[in-house]
Amino acid sequence: MFIRTAICAAALLLCTPQAAFAADANQDKPVSKRALADLSARLHATIAPYFPAEAPGGVVLVVKDGQTVLRRAYGMADTIKGVNMAPEMAMRIGSMTKQFTATAILLLADEGKLSVDDEITSYLPDYPTQGKRITIEHLLTHTSGIVSYTGKPGFSQRAPQDTTVTALIDSFKNDPLQFEPGSAWRYNNSGYYLLGAIIEKVAGMPYHQFLAQRIFTPLGMDHTAYEGQERARWPSAAGHSPAENGFGAARPLGRNQSYAAGELVSTVDDLAKWDAAVGKKLLTPATWQRAFTSYRLSDGKDSHYGYGWELSLIQGEAVIGHSGSTRGFRSYGLRVPAKGVYVAVLTNGDGGTVVPDVVARRAAAVAIGKPLPEFREVALDAAALDAVAGVYTLDGSRRVFWRDGDFLSVQRPGRGPLVLKAMSANAFFVPDTADWFVFQREGGADTGKVTGVTYYQDGRALVHTRSSEPPPPPRIVARIADAAFDAHAGRYEIQPGMVLEVKRDGSRYFVQPSGQRRLEIFPLSETRYFARDIDAEIGFEGQALSFRQGSRSFTGRRL
């Protein structure tokens, strides 16, 4: 329901967001049937390998220049009953709900009924802000400092129970703030829960009714609704959660546990109608522009998040998107405005081999004519790895490469090292991403002296100059007793549907996200660990786990 795997923590991917928003382009430009058929075939070839035929599946929709290029179902809608997935099926969309909640707030703002700069106590006068100024904008941008209720102890046990909006708000409103409002970005479902309550207060009607009247019905989104408030009967896919032998029925989720943070259901066809309206209907152009602008923290840094949308890049193109993860389902929707591309991926498993973010981003890259490279690993000998080892700089920023056993590792100051995989003597990729490095040599030869390295990330080429030979490999790994690690071993639910399992294998330590490969982690201390395969750190405090990747951080509680 809630965590944005495109934020990259859940999917354990790296991304580099930006704040730019470009107007939609070429929406009415016709594309020939032959070109559409060719693009559809290439998209299917890219997508199909992610969906095993007998496993929980998904539906993928790709729209380009206003025309549907791909609308296809994969895998099973119900593995227990043996029902195949169909393109028209409805599914929970989890945190993709947030863009609808944000739009509802902005509708009220355009009508002069509220301002995003208003303090939340103007509408929720009994909410204890602990002497701090918390605004509606802080809720929209995950910068309020309020504790996210989904990360609190016991949430997983309470999640199957029906609740009320008032009762759930009461469960977190008196918790101490995590930081000064506006000073940091931390993904927060409590903020969007409160936004739902504000919508009800200002509009004078239930949240689900306001969305239906002001968004879904006007846009013809007949099969999008607050779960349990559907306006028509429609086929839907069953949710699945990992079980001992494959998959079982999704773990239960009580009514109003997600609310305005993630309780909507939809279809890819309705999401296409939604995308056709985004930026053009419902709100003023200035309001849409503000929604797609990255919020700046009090220290001037970008949060890379607008109002209900994450801002990122694909192959150098600005992307606006959001993911969702809830019990039984995961989703991702993104738009590339400058290229007139929209991709929606709805899946009916909260674990497994399918990561909707990866599918959507690879599909979008194909649709804009800049497919992401397929990486194939090769083995290199020690001499080849030693030849590219060294210190490389760009505008004062250093990256240090050194031979790490049979692999090449890279490290930036203040970060744990990353293990790279070789594609050739000069090219190395970062596992689980679309990022790679290419080393340059004198005269362009494959065996000459290495003079620099170019880092390719999201369509950008960052050229670093070799400045010195490599220093000795860093010795940042602490020595700890296995018993100290065992005190943290267990399963931590970051969000419903996304669990990190921390476990020991002999004297090696691992973390494994739901349905994904396990990652080895290394101790910086008894409570801090880093992964070498991705740029991430994990910390433990009591029964809580913290996960940091880049400027983003998430918390989870032990199950």
Side-chain angles (χ1 to χ4, degrees):
M1 102 182 127
F2 309 62
I3 195 164
R4 303 174 302 116
T5 48
I7 287 177
C8 309
L12 297 178
L13 300 175
L14 298 174
C15 64
T16 304
Q18 69 169 18
F21 165 67
D24 288 9
N26 302 321
Q27 287 295 302
D28 300 316
K29 179 181 177 181
V31 181
S32 70
K33 290 184 178 180
R34 181 174 180 179
L36 282 175
D38 177 65
L39 178 55
S40 180
R42 285 186 281 117
L43 285 165
H44 174 64
T46 298
I47 293 165
Y50 288 96
F51 292 94
E54 303 302 320
V59 180
V60 181
L61 177 92
V62 181
V63 176
K64 182 175 175 61
D65 301 331
Q67 301 181 71
T68 298
V69 181
L70 182 84
R71 176 182 177 270
R72 192 152 183 167
Y74 300 87
M76 304 295 292
D78 190 325
T79 60
I80 297 172
K81 296 181 179 179
V83 179
N84 291 325
M85 186 67 77
E88 67 274 11
M89 286 183 168
M91 289 175 251
R92 291 175 180 168
I93 64 171
S95 274
M96 286 180 68
T97 296
K98 289 180 171 65
Q99 59 200 255
F100 296 98
T101 300
T103 300
I105 286 286
L106 297 177
L107 275 167
L108 295 170
D110 275 354
E111 294 170 355
K113 296 179 179 178
L114 58 77
S115 167
V116 298
D117 297 318
D118 290 341
E119 293 190 50
I120 64 174
T121 48
S122 299
Y123 309 99
L124 305 174
D126 296 330
Y127 193 88
T129 58
Q130 303 165 44
K132 304 297 184 180
R133 184 176 185 273
I134 302 176
T135 67
I136 289 176
E137 185 173 49
H138 288 142
L139 303 183
L140 288 166
T141 56
H142 304 288
T143 59
S144 68
I146 294 171
V147 170
S148 184
Y149 71 94
T150 52
K152 292 188 62 177
F155 173 75
S156 182
Q157 289 72 35
R158 295 189 297 270
Q161 305 165 10
D162 291 347
T163 188
T164 65
V165 173
T166 300
L168 201 142
I169 291 175
D170 285 346
S171 75
F172 64 78
K173 70 180 185 181
N174 293 310
D175 292 331
L177 295 181
Q178 295 179 307
F179 51 82
E180 184 75 21
S183 67
W185 187 98
R186 186 172 296 180
Y187 194 73
N188 190 315
N189 291 304
S190 296
Y192 271 79
Y193 210 99
L194 292 171
L195 288 172
I198 291 173
I199 291 167
E200 293 195 358
K201 183 73 173 287
V202 176
M205 66 178 73
Y207 167 82
H208 70 84
Q209 187 177 340
F210 184 80
L211 262 62
Q213 287 187 10
R214 300 298 305 276
I215 299 177
F216 305 148
T217 297
L219 298 182
M221 299 173 65
D222 297 332
H223 306 111
T224 303
Y226 193 87
E227 189 168 8
Q229 298 291 335
E230 291 85 353
R231 302 179 303 285
R233 294 180 61 85
W234 196 252
S236 61
H240 298 79
S241 295
E244 263 189 49
N245 298 312
F247 289 88
R251 294 169 296 159
L253 185 66
R255 181 171 175 77
N256 295 324
Q257 289 287 352
S258 313
Y259 187 47
E263 202 143 344
L264 296 184
V265 296
S266 190
T267 66
V268 295
D269 297 320
D270 272 10
L271 291 174
K273 294 176 182 178
W274 168 241
D275 178 69
V278 169
K280 307 178 188 66
K281 300 179 181 180
L282 301 177
L283 306 176
T284 67
T287 300
W288 279 120
Q289 178 69 38
R290 189 169 181 181
F292 299 143
T293 300
S294 176
Y295 179 82
R296 285 194 177 274
L297 303 175
S298 56
D299 63 1
K301 294 180 180 178
D302 266 329
S303 67
H304 308 306
Y305 197 93
Y307 298 165
W309 273 275
E310 178 194 19
L311 309 170
S312 62
L313 294 173
I314 291 178
Q315 294 291 66
E317 299 290 343
V319 172
I320 304 163
H322 213 292
S323 67
S325 179
T326 184
R327 292 190 169 183
F329 300 86
R330 297 172 74 183
S331 61
Y332 196 82
L334 66 81
R335 56 200 322 262
V336 189
K339 298 296 184 180
V341 167
Y342 177 70
V343 181
V345 180
L346 302 182
T347 68
N348 65 330
D350 58 33
T353 58
V354 181
V355 179
D357 308 51
V358 175
V359 174
R361 293 177 73 82
R362 283 199 169 271
V366 171
I368 66 176
K370 300 178 181 180
L372 294 167
E374 295 291 342
F375 301 138
R376 289 181 169 79
E377 184 182 0
V378 301
L380 296 180
D381 59 24
L385 297 175
D386 287 336
V388 298
V391 178
Y392 298 78
T393 59
L394 170 63
D395 297 331
S397 176
R398 292 178 8 131
R399 279 188 165 88
V400 180
F401 296 80
W402 74 92
R403 177 165 59 84
D404 190 356
D406 294 330
F407 299 96
L408 187 72
S409 284
V410 60
Q411 185 177 13
R412 287 185 291 166
R415 303 287 184 89
L418 286 170
V419 174
L420 307 178
K421 300 293 182 68
M423 294 186 285
S424 70
N426 292 327
F428 297 78
F429 66 91
V430 182
D432 290 334
T433 75
D435 300 347
W436 73 101
F437 294 88
V438 176
F439 291 90
Q440 288 83 47
R441 297 175 185 263
E442 288 181 343
D446 290 339
T447 57
K449 181 180 179 181
V450 177
T451 58
V453 65
T454 301
Y455 178 35
Y456 292 93
Q457 183 185 54
D458 289 324
R460 298 179 301 170
L462 306 177
V463 181
H464 296 65
T465 301
R466 182 172 177 142
S467 56
S468 67
E469 294 299 317
R475 299 184 181 277
I476 65 172
V477 177
R479 291 184 178 275
I480 67 169
D482 288 341
F485 177 83
D486 290 344
H488 308 304
R491 300 174 72 248
Y492 296 79
E493 186 168 45
I494 291 183
Q495 303 290 351
M498 178 50 62
V499 173
L500 298 182
E501 184 174 6
V502 177
K503 56 187 175 182
R504 177 167 62 88
D505 185 353
S507 289
R508 299 173 67 189
Y509 311 138
F510 296 90
V511 60
Q512 184 167 15
S514 300
Q516 299 178 41
R517 70 180 180 88
R518 71 178 187 174
L519 296 168
E520 187 167 7
I521 55 176
F522 301 86
L524 293 165
S525 69
E526 290 186 352
T527 58
R528 290 181 59 219
Y529 299 78
F530 70 91
R532 301 171 72 191
D533 289 353
I534 62 167
D535 185 9
E537 286 191 9
I538 294 172
F540 299 94
E541 183 176 351
Q543 297 299 303
L545 170 149
S546 63
F547 178 92
R548 182 195 63 77
Q549 187 169 32
S551 63
R552 307 296 178 88
S553 61
F554 304 85
T555 58
R557 295 287 174 173
R558 197 198 306 247
L559 297 178

